[in-house]
Amino acid sequence: MTTRIDSFQDYRSRMNERILEIDHLGIKRFFNLDTAAYKDAALDTSTKELLGLVASTVLRCNDCIDYHLIQCIAAGWSDRELYDALNVALIVGGSIVIPHLRHAVETIDLLRAEGTVVADTNR
Amino acid sequence: MTTRIDSFQDYRSRMNERILEIDHLGIKRFFNLDTAAYKDAALDTSTKELLGLVASTVLRCNDCIDYHLIQCIAAGWSDRELYDALNVALIVGGSIVIPHLRHAVETIDLLRAEGTVVADTNR
Amino acid sequence: MTTRIDSFQDYRSRMNERILEIDHLGIKRFFNLDTAAYKDAALDTSTKELLGLVASTVLRCNDCIDYHLIQCIAAGWSDRELYDALNVALIVGGSIVIPHLRHAVETIDLLRAEGTVVADTNR
Amino acid sequence: MTTRIDSFQDYRSRMNERILEIDHLGIKRFFNLDTAAYKDAALDTSTKELLGLVASTVLRCNDCIDYHLIQCIAAGWSDRELYDALNVALIVGGSIVIPHLRHAVETIDLLRAEGTVVADTNR
Amino acid sequence: MTTRIDSFQDYRSRMNERILEIDHLGIKRFFNLDTAAYKDAALDTSTKELLGLVASTVLRCNDCIDYHLIQCIAAGWSDRELYDALNVALIVGGSIVIPHLRHAVETIDLLRAEGTVVADTNR
Amino acid sequence: MTTRIDSFQDYRSRMNERILEIDHLGIKRFFNLDTAAYKDAALDTSTKELLGLVASTVLRCNDCIDYHLIQCIAAGWSDRELYDALNVALIVGGSIVIPHLRHAVETIDLLRAEGTVVADTNR
């Protein structure tokens, strides 16, 4: 069965490839810099993916939430830890975040139902 | 010497006291819930303060950045770790975040110059 | 006929129940505090639902707009009054609000076509 | 004694006059439309100023908060009613709103200390 | 074949007509002022549509992006110029803009596949 | 006489130097990418600085507005053209932008009073 997560990942991959075909060095470098920002450094990848999840939630971007949830689950964060991070986003961002909390909780459930979640290495 | 951090903390304490004098249960309960969100739970306080810092930075609130930097430094995060978290905020939020990055880096320098940084337990 | 309002309400109810199954006291308390904020107090419920509508519109959240429109219509606000409130949101928030104004006006029409609108008491 | 409210009002008046000297019809018409949005119509001025206050608070603009607080107090809203409206803004907008809540509560106190508050008729 | 652009334009036209049926002078005047803002004046229409595109992108509104892309293409901007403008929006707004960059690039491809793009004169 | 523009430029230069002393490749590369985004390419620098001005205005960042106004004036845009661009930002972003319009108009006046405005080449 194709879930909305699968459709999102297909669309995302297809359009990212399309964007990288564009002859614009600035856009390509931005994508590289974005990937690099989550690599192990002073902080490790798993902590930074959690930061990415909370940033995406307070900025209220469902696609970004889904992307970072995939990365967070692949990095080994448990549901209880993800809910605790989402609670920080909820208190910082307020009730306007609730529709995105519903989306995030549904995404976690869909990802857990799928079984193994693999990190996206080509951001 | 009184730094802008001291002035901010004085103003913040004075006005938070003033707000809690107000006879409004919802506001009081919101303040309690906000404090509770950063207590050790599935995630520990130090991780959650770092989440608060990144959320505050992408939402571009200098007072919130200063508050969470105080908490993060009291929790033991090093400058290199804080810069790495701020880099995530910068890539997520873009160049519009740069004025707040300048503010954050100055706050870190001011706090380190002051010496011991104590967490605010009465949020 | 199932309208997009019905689908939204089904999804919203189902996911809110799912969220409240989660063992996280902070999230549960936030939901309670959110419900409580709109109860009769110094201001009455109907005024506060109108405030919620305008806040949702300037923050550009369609789900929040739909929720507060249901509550506002159940509270007795007329279309002319709702349009006048939406005009305040439009002037404050600018043309970026227009897609949400289109959504809001369509929701009002769908709700009026359905007939009786009942307030959601379990937020 | 000159308070920060007086300084804000002086600056605001001076710069609004400067803006209206500019030979740009669109800007002039926007200012007129903004003034008109708060006139008695389907909703009365006092309700619409309260909507403007909550919109300004969730969008986190201190100057806009001060402007609408002056108008709200001139329109007769009590402190308890203003706090109840600000609580709606706090729950919708989250803890990122708290610095603006501190500002708003201080402005209310400054305005009450000044005595009579007169509505700004030349927005 | 009906693309999502066609569906968007149908919905947008239908709902704008519905909105202009509403007896609210403020809303009508706002729509007129919005149309007027992009007319040739000190800056020409094509430059102002590009400004509208970048403003819509950093504010992350897909409907607004689609609308301004139609206007920009009708005004004669090439794909390379549009990508260069979108790169400014990406650097200003950060990675949270990426889902809207994907949307914008897809819209450009859909519009080019359709052939002639006509400006919307009744905004 | 030291204006607020001079103080802003001093602070900005000093803190940018401080940030570039930090040993974080991601932050350095972001600053380079930001500078590069405004170089002549498919669009010329002057058009892109105008895009940066409007993006900064709708996102309501005074420091960013001042920076791009300096660049725009150095690039040769007239006051009438800048006002026309700011009018687009005002209509897109709404009355919440007005405090930033006041700031922008004051900055233009201060820069014109200073005489020659030189572009910042080390962003």
Side-chain angles (χ1 to χ4, degrees):
Chain A
M1 195 187 68
T2 308
T3 64
R4 70 161 167 76
I5 310 283
D6 300 325
S7 308
F8 161 66
Q9 285 183 306
D10 289 349
Y11 177 78
R12 187 176 163 284
S13 297
R14 182 164 54 80
M15 288 310 304
N16 281 5
E17 276 174 43
R18 174 71 189 89
I19 288 171
L20 297 176
E21 278 169 30
I22 293 173
D23 182 31
H24 195 294
L25 189 59
I27 295 176
K28 281 187 224 294
R29 287 173 69 197
F30 190 93
F31 273 65
N32 288 338
L33 204 48
D34 182 26
T35 305
Y38 297 89
K39 300 277 187 213
D40 286 335
L43 297 170
D44 57 20
T45 292
S46 64
T47 301
K48 292 201 277 191
E49 287 294 345
L50 206 64
L51 296 174
L53 173 63
V54 168
S56 300
T57 307
V58 296
L59 290 174
R60 303 190 279 129
C61 173
N62 280 347
D63 283 3
C64 311
I65 289 170
D66 285 353
Y67 175 77
H68 286 292
L69 279 174
I70 292 168
Q71 302 299 96
C72 282
I73 288 177
W77 292 107
S78 69
D79 289 6
R80 289 180 60 246
E81 290 165 327
L82 295 174
Y83 297 147
D84 207 24
L86 290 169
N87 181 54
V88 171
L90 178 62
I91 201 79
V92 172
S95 68
I96 206 82
V97 163
I98 290 179
H100 305 275
L101 178 64
R102 287 195 279 265
H103 184 87
V105 169
E106 190 188 48
T107 295
I108 294 171
D109 288 349
L110 287 168
L111 289 170
R112 295 301 186 192
E114 276 188 13
T116 317
V117 174
V118 181
D120 188 332
T121 50
N122 292 313
R123 195 167 203 85
Chain B
M1 194 186 67
T2 307
T3 65
R4 69 161 167 76
I5 310 282
D6 300 325
S7 308
F8 161 66
Q9 285 185 306
D10 288 350
Y11 177 78
R12 188 176 161 283
S13 297
R14 182 164 53 81
M15 288 310 304
N16 280 6
E17 275 174 44
R18 173 71 190 89
I19 287 172
L20 296 174
E21 278 170 29
I22 293 173
D23 182 30
H24 195 295
L25 188 59
I27 294 175
K28 281 186 222 298
R29 287 175 67 198
F30 189 94
F31 273 65
N32 288 338
L33 204 47
D34 182 26
T35 305
Y38 297 90
K39 300 276 188 212
D40 286 335
L43 296 170
D44 56 21
T45 291
S46 65
T47 302
K48 292 199 278 191
E49 287 294 346
L50 206 65
L51 297 174
L53 172 64
V54 168
S56 300
T57 308
V58 297
L59 290 173
R60 304 190 277 131
C61 172
N62 280 348
D63 283 3
C64 311
I65 288 171
D66 285 352
Y67 174 77
H68 286 291
L69 278 173
I70 292 167
Q71 301 299 97
C72 282
I73 287 177
W77 292 107
S78 70
D79 288 5
R80 289 181 59 249
E81 289 164 327
L82 294 174
Y83 298 147
D84 208 23
L86 291 169
N87 182 53
V88 171
L90 178 62
I91 201 79
V92 172
S95 68
I96 205 82
V97 162
I98 289 179
H100 305 276
L101 179 64
R102 286 194 280 265
H103 183 89
V105 169
E106 190 188 49
T107 296
I108 294 172
D109 287 348
L110 288 168
L111 290 170
R112 294 302 184 191
E114 274 187 15
T116 317
V117 175
V118 181
D120 187 333
T121 49
N122 291 313
R123 198 168 200 82
Chain C
M1 194 186 68
T2 308
T3 65
R4 69 162 168 75
I5 310 283
D6 300 324
S7 308
F8 161 65
Q9 285 183 305
D10 288 351
Y11 177 78
R12 186 176 163 284
S13 296
R14 182 164 52 80
M15 288 311 304
N16 279 5
E17 277 175 41
R18 174 71 190 89
I19 287 170
L20 296 175
E21 279 169 29
I22 292 174
D23 182 31
H24 195 294
L25 189 59
I27 295 176
K28 281 188 223 296
R29 288 173 67 197
F30 190 94
F31 274 64
N32 287 339
L33 204 48
D34 181 26
T35 305
Y38 298 89
K39 300 276 187 214
D40 285 336
L43 297 170
D44 58 21
T45 291
S46 64
T47 301
K48 291 200 278 189
E49 287 294 347
L50 207 64
L51 296 174
L53 174 64
V54 168
S56 300
T57 307
V58 297
L59 290 174
R60 303 190 280 128
C61 172
N62 280 348
D63 282 3
C64 311
I65 289 170
D66 285 353
Y67 174 77
H68 286 291
L69 278 173
I70 292 167
Q71 303 298 98
C72 281
I73 288 177
W77 292 107
S78 69
D79 289 5
R80 288 181 60 248
E81 290 164 327
L82 294 174
Y83 299 147
D84 208 24
L86 290 170
N87 181 54
V88 171
L90 179 62
I91 201 79
V92 173
S95 69
I96 206 83
V97 162
I98 291 179
H100 305 276
L101 178 64
R102 287 195 280 266
H103 183 88
V105 169
E106 190 188 48
T107 295
I108 295 171
D109 287 348
L110 287 168
L111 290 170
R112 294 302 185 193
E114 275 187 15
T116 317
V117 173
V118 181
D120 188 333
T121 49
N122 292 312
R123 197 167 202 86
Chain D
M1 194 186 67
T2 306
T3 65
R4 70 161 167 75
I5 311 282
D6 300 325
S7 308
F8 161 66
Q9 285 184 307
D10 289 349
Y11 177 78
R12 188 177 160 282
S13 297
R14 182 164 53 81
M15 287 311 304
N16 280 5
E17 275 174 44
R18 174 69 190 90
I19 287 172
L20 295 175
E21 278 170 29
I22 293 173
D23 182 31
H24 195 294
L25 189 59
I27 294 175
K28 282 186 221 299
R29 288 173 68 198
F30 190 94
F31 274 66
N32 288 338
L33 204 46
D34 182 27
T35 305
Y38 297 89
K39 300 275 187 214
D40 286 336
L43 297 170
D44 56 21
T45 292
S46 64
T47 302
K48 292 200 278 191
E49 288 294 347
L50 206 64
L51 297 174
L53 173 63
V54 168
S56 301
T57 308
V58 297
L59 290 174
R60 303 190 278 129
C61 172
N62 281 348
D63 283 2
C64 311
I65 289 170
D66 285 352
Y67 174 77
H68 286 291
L69 279 173
I70 292 167
Q71 302 298 96
C72 281
I73 288 178
W77 292 107
S78 70
D79 289 5
R80 288 181 59 249
E81 290 164 326
L82 295 174
Y83 298 147
D84 208 23
L86 291 169
N87 181 54
V88 171
L90 178 63
I91 201 78
V92 172
S95 67
I96 207 81
V97 163
I98 290 179
H100 305 275
L101 179 64
R102 286 195 280 264
H103 183 89
V105 169
E106 190 188 49
T107 296
I108 295 171
D109 288 348
L110 288 167
L111 290 169
R112 295 302 185 192
E114 275 188 13
T116 317
V117 174
V118 181
D120 187 334
T121 50
N122 291 313
R123 196 168 204 82
Chain E
M1 196 186 67
T2 308
T3 65
R4 69 163 167 74
I5 310 283
D6 300 324
S7 308
F8 162 65
Q9 285 184 306
D10 289 350
Y11 177 78
R12 186 175 163 284
S13 297
R14 182 163 53 81
M15 288 310 304
N16 280 5
E17 276 175 43
R18 174 68 191 91
I19 287 171
L20 296 175
E21 279 169 29
I22 293 174
D23 182 32
H24 195 295
L25 189 59
I27 294 175
K28 280 187 223 296
R29 288 174 68 197
F30 190 94
F31 273 65
N32 288 339
L33 204 47
D34 182 26
T35 304
Y38 298 89
K39 300 276 187 214
D40 285 336
L43 298 170
D44 57 21
T45 292
S46 64
T47 301
K48 292 200 278 191
E49 287 294 346
L50 206 64
L51 297 174
L53 174 63
V54 168
S56 300
T57 308
V58 297
L59 290 174
R60 303 190 278 128
C61 172
N62 281 347
D63 283 3
C64 311
I65 288 170
D66 285 353
Y67 175 78
H68 287 291
L69 279 173
I70 292 167
Q71 302 298 97
C72 282
I73 287 176
W77 292 106
S78 69
D79 289 5
R80 288 182 58 249
E81 290 165 327
L82 294 174
Y83 298 147
D84 208 25
L86 290 169
N87 181 54
V88 171
L90 178 62
I91 201 80
V92 173
S95 69
I96 206 81
V97 162
I98 290 179
H100 305 275
L101 178 65
R102 287 195 280 266
H103 184 88
V105 169
E106 190 188 48
T107 295
I108 294 171
D109 287 349
L110 287 167
L111 290 170
R112 294 302 185 192
E114 275 188 14
T116 317
V117 174
V118 181
D120 187 333
T121 49
N122 291 313
R123 199 170 198 83
Chain F
M1 192 187 67
T2 307
T3 65
R4 70 161 167 76
I5 311 282
D6 300 324
S7 308
F8 161 65
Q9 284 184 306
D10 289 349
Y11 177 78
R12 188 178 161 282
S13 297
R14 182 163 52 79
M15 288 310 305
N16 280 5
E17 275 175 45
R18 174 70 190 91
I19 287 171
L20 295 175
E21 278 170 28
I22 292 174
D23 182 31
H24 196 295
L25 189 59
I27 293 175
K28 281 186 221 297
R29 288 174 67 198
F30 190 94
F31 273 65
N32 288 338
L33 204 47
D34 182 26
T35 305
Y38 297 89
K39 301 276 187 211
D40 285 336
L43 297 170
D44 57 21
T45 293
S46 65
T47 302
K48 292 200 277 190
E49 288 294 346
L50 206 64
L51 297 174
L53 173 64
V54 168
S56 300
T57 308
V58 297
L59 290 174
R60 304 190 278 128
C61 172
N62 281 348
D63 283 3
C64 311
I65 289 170
D66 285 353
Y67 174 77
H68 286 291
L69 279 173
I70 292 167
Q71 302 298 97
C72 282
I73 287 176
W77 292 107
S78 70
D79 289 5
R80 288 181 59 250
E81 290 164 326
L82 295 174
Y83 299 147
D84 208 23
L86 291 169
N87 181 54
V88 171
L90 178 62
I91 201 79
V92 173
S95 68
I96 206 83
V97 163
I98 290 179
H100 305 276
L101 179 64
R102 286 194 280 264
H103 183 88
V105 169
E106 190 188 49
T107 295
I108 294 171
D109 288 349
L110 288 167
L111 290 170
R112 294 302 184 192
E114 276 188 13
T116 317
V117 174
V118 181
D120 187 333
T121 50
N122 292 312
R123 197 168 201 83

